[in-house]
């Protein structure tokens, strides 16, 4: 099993480009099931979750080809083909919660779907009821039997959907289902993440009629079928934020290119609070820490446009070596502080009380063998390793490979001493 070995102490300097966004590419790949003409996707990141999704879609009978682009990303071409299978098996779905995103497209276009109840990172309960209730309201017959969600419908019918809780994947699934429903659908209390806007832009390219994506109310006028087209996946704002925090923690100066500054307002605000000098352009962000130790910051995770839960572990690592005391309140997932005991092994002074982590910054972490417990926790441990004295060995980095495209090579390009070992 691969591990990462990090020798801490290097001040990061230079430029790095952001990859395509995992959380945009996954629903867009699922949405190719709706297309009746060829689709080309560019700027797709090279990630384990992408590979799993492609395998799942091929199991359903999708005709997908994958090739490496000149910029190091992946280009995927989906050819329209009648599906031969409508079941998403547990063996694939258990490894990646986003697999549930095939549910909406399958029942909308083909009238049936059997999708295993999902797995993914063990960071807390993420109920699927919002997906099922929404599909029922659209006219699908839904049952859960033997660990599978079974959905059937002749044709979905547009309706007003009021989501009980803000759910990103729930919004995406219902959006994809509604584009082929008869009549108008309105999704109330919709998630507003940029990745949902990217999905809506892709569906619009195929011929869908959508307005309001990125707001709490999305309107969809159903069409009989979607065509094809070409779409470039948006930049990964979480990868971007991770590199910026790495620069802040090491006192360095890093420019992230091919990214989206407008998608990171809450994160950039907190980095400025930490003492970073930040400048932005149309598609780049530069952070200059001017060799200074960051100041501790208070963060509170909440749905977009507030501070993203996917950046919480990285800021726990920042607060661990910052000047002062910072509190991190996790309001999205109830079990997302599993990285804290690993940071404590490196000397971090962090106390967890319920959903709040109280971080008293120390000047220097000490290297130790640690274990990644989920995707973003692994990123937090990498950042801690960059500033710790000695060599930090991070185990179970397959979590990291689910969401970061060749992170060790990108960090080495900025001066980090990091390598993958067996």
């Amino acid at each position: 099993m691969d591990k990462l070995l990090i020798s801490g102490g290097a001040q990061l300097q230079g430029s790095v480009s952001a990859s395509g966004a995992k959380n945009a590419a996954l629903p867009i790949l699922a949405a190719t099931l709706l297309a009746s003409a060829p689709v080309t996707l560019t700027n797709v990141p090279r990630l384990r979750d992408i590979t799993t999704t492609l395998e799942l879609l091929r199991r359903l009978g999708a005709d997908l080809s994958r090739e490496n682009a000149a910029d190091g990303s992946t280009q995927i071409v989906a050819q329209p083909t009648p599906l031969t299978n409508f079941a998403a098996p547990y063996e694939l779905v258990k490894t990646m919660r986003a697999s549930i995103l095939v549910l909406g497209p399958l029942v909308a276009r083909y009238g049936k779907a059997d999708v295993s109840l999902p797995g993914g990172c063990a960071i807390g309960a993420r109920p699927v009821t919002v997906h099922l209730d929404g599909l029922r309201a659209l006219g699908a017959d839904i049952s859960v039997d033997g660990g599978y969600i079974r959905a059937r419908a002749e044709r979905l019918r547009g309706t007003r959907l009021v989501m009980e809780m803000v759910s990103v994947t729930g919004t995406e699934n219902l959006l994809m289902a509604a584009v082929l429903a008869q009549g108008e659908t309105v999704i109330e209390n919709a998630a507003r993440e940029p990745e949902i806007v990217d999905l809506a832009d892709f569906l619009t390219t195929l011929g869908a009629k959508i307005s309001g994506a990125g707001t709490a109310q999305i309107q969809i006028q159903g069409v009989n079928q979607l065509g094809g087209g070409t779409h470039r996946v948006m930049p990964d704002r979480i990868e971007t934020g991770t590199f910026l925090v790495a620069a802040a923690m090491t006192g360095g100066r890093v420019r992230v290119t091919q990214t989206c500054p407008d998608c990171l307002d809450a994160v950039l605000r907190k980095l400025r609070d930490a003492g970073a000098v930040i400048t932005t352009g149309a598609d780049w962000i530069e952070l200059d820490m001017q060799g200074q130790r960051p100041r501790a910051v208070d963060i509170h995770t909440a749905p977009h446009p507030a501070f993203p839960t996917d950046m919480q572990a990285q800021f726990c690592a920042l607060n661990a070596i910052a000047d002062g005391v910072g509190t991190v309140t996790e309001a999205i997932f109830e079990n997302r502080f599993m990285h804290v005991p690993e940071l404590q092994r490196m000397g971090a002074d962090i106390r967890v009380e319920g959903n709040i982590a109280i971080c008293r910054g120390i000047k220097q972490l000490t290297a130790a063998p640690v274990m990644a417990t989920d995707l973003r926790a692994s990123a937090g441990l990498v950042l801690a390793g960059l500033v710790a004295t000695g060599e930090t060995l991070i185990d179970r980095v397959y979590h990291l490979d689910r969401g970061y495209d060749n992170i060790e090579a990108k960090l080495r390009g900025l001066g980090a001493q990091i390598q993958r070992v067996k």
Side-chain angles (χ1 to χ4, degrees), residues 208-412:
K209 297 180 179 179
I210 302 168
S211 61
T215 75
Q217 183 189 80
I218 304 176
Q219 301 88 34
I220 308 104
Q221 189 66 44
V223 297
N224 291 327
Q225 71 172 21
L226 297 180
T230 299
H231 180 79
R232 180 177 175 84
V233 175
M234 68 171 285
D236 196 316
R237 61 193 174 102
I238 304 303
E239 182 196 37
T240 298
T242 301
F243 287 129
L244 294 175
V245 174
M249 289 177 64
T250 63
R253 179 177 181 178
V254 167
R255 175 176 290 202
V256 184
T257 62
Q258 299 180 42
T259 192
C260 176
D262 292 342
C263 299
L264 279 162
D265 287 342
V267 171
L268 297 184
R269 184 164 56 249
K270 289 301 178 180
L271 286 170
R272 289 189 175 101
D273 289 347
V277 176
I278 292 176
T279 53
T280 62
D283 62 352
W284 57 267
I285 305 169
E286 184 171 285
L287 181 145
D288 188 356
M289 206 65 198
Q290 299 177 337
Q292 299 300 306
R293 181 184 177 192
R295 296 190 295 265
V297 294
D298 297 331
I299 68 170
H300 189 291
T301 67
H304 190 81
F307 192 92
T309 181
D310 281 353
M311 285 299 302
Q312 179 256 100
Q314 296 90 315
F315 271 77
C316 275
L318 182 145
N319 275 345
I321 54 93
D323 182 17
V325 178
T327 60
V328 177
T329 303
E330 176 54 64
I332 305 295
F333 297 121
E334 73 277 8
N335 196 26
R336 209 169 198 180
F337 282 135
M338 291 187 291
H339 47 282
V340 169
E342 303 303 306
L343 291 172
Q344 290 169 336
R345 287 173 50 80
M346 302 175 73
D349 184 356
I350 305 175
R351 185 175 77 256
V352 176
E353 297 181 357
N355 69 329
I356 301 174
I358 303 166
C359 313
R360 187 178 300 276
I362 61 174
K363 289 186 176 181
Q364 189 68 63
L365 295 175
T366 304
V370 292
M371 181 179 67
T373 54
D374 62 73
L375 169 55
R376 304 307 173 184
S378 60
L381 296 179
V382 169
L383 300 186
L386 293 175
V387 296
T389 57
E391 292 189 335
T392 299
L393 188 65
I394 304 176
D395 200 357
R396 297 176 68 182
V397 296
Y398 58 83
H399 287 295
L400 197 69
D401 295 336
R402 289 187 50 231
Y404 288 90
D405 186 346
N406 206 6
I407 189 172
E408 66 269 25
K410 290 187 174 183
L411 287 172
R412 278 199 302 271

Side-chain angles (χ1 to χ4, degrees), residues 52-345:
T52 301
T53 300
L54 293 175
E55 183 178 353
L56 172 59
L57 294 175
R58 288 182 178 125
R59 287 277 192 101
L60 298 174
D63 181 357
L64 299 162
S65 62
R66 180 180 186 176
E67 60 185 49
N68 292 327
D71 63 0
S73 66
T74 296
Q75 177 174 291
I76 293 173
V77 177
Q79 299 289 348
T81 182
L83 295 192
T84 56
N85 178 31
F86 303 95
Y90 174 68
E91 66 201 67
L92 288 176
V93 176
K94 71 178 179 181
T95 66
M96 188 186 68
R97 190 171 187 86
S99 300
I100 197 175
L101 289 168
V102 301
L103 180 62
L106 285 177
V107 72
R109 188 173 182 200
Y110 296 98
K112 55 183 174 180
D114 297 321
V115 178
S116 172
L117 289 168
C121 284
I123 57 175
R126 290 184 277 186
V128 299
T129 52
V130 66
H131 304 251
L132 308 189
D133 290 346
L135 288 172
R136 285 191 182 102
L138 288 167
D141 181 16
I142 304 286
S143 63
V144 179
D145 178 38
Y148 277 77
I149 302 165
R150 306 191 188 278
R152 300 291 185 271
E154 289 188 10
R155 185 179 181 186
L156 299 178
R157 301 181 304 275
T159 188
R160 180 171 176 263
L161 302 173
V162 181
M163 301 176 67
E164 285 190 5
M165 58 180 289
V166 177
S167 166
V168 174
T169 55
T171 300
E172 290 165 344
N173 234 339
L174 299 178
L175 173 59
M176 289 186 285
V179 295
L180 292 183
Q182 185 175 14
E184 183 182 60
T185 299
V186 178
I187 304 176
E188 303 278 6
N189 198 29
R192 297 188 282 169
E193 271 67 9
E195 293 79 10
I196 289 173
V197 177
D198 204 36
L199 172 62
D201 288 344
F202 169 67
L203 292 169
T204 301
T205 296
L206 303 187
K209 297 180 179 179
I210 302 168
S211 61
T215 75
Q217 183 189 80
I218 304 176
Q219 301 88 34
I220 308 104
Q221 189 66 44
V223 297
N224 291 327
Q225 71 172 21
L226 297 180
T230 299
H231 180 79
R232 180 177 175 84
V233 175
M234 68 171 285
D236 196 316
R237 61 193 174 102
I238 304 303
E239 182 196 37
T240 298
T242 301
F243 287 129
L244 294 175
V245 174
M249 289 177 64
T250 63
R253 179 177 181 178
V254 167
R255 175 176 290 202
V256 184
T257 62
Q258 299 180 42
T259 192
C260 176
D262 292 342
C263 299
L264 279 162
D265 287 342
V267 171
L268 297 184
R269 184 164 56 249
K270 289 301 178 180
L271 286 170
R272 289 189 175 101
D273 289 347
V277 176
I278 292 176
T279 53
T280 62
D283 62 352
W284 57 267
I285 305 169
E286 184 171 285
L287 181 145
D288 188 356
M289 206 65 198
Q290 299 177 337
Q292 299 300 306
R293 181 184 177 192
R295 296 190 295 265
V297 294
D298 297 331
I299 68 170
H300 189 291
T301 67
H304 190 81
F307 192 92
T309 181
D310 281 353
M311 285 299 302
Q312 179 256 100
Q314 296 90 315
F315 271 77
C316 275
L318 182 145
N319 275 345
I321 54 93
D323 182 17
V325 178
T327 60
V328 177
T329 303
E330 176 54 64
I332 305 295
F333 297 121
E334 73 277 8
N335 196 26
R336 209 169 198 180
F337 282 135
M338 291 187 291
H339 47 282
V340 169
E342 303 303 306
L343 291 172
Q344 290 169 336
R345 287 173 50 80

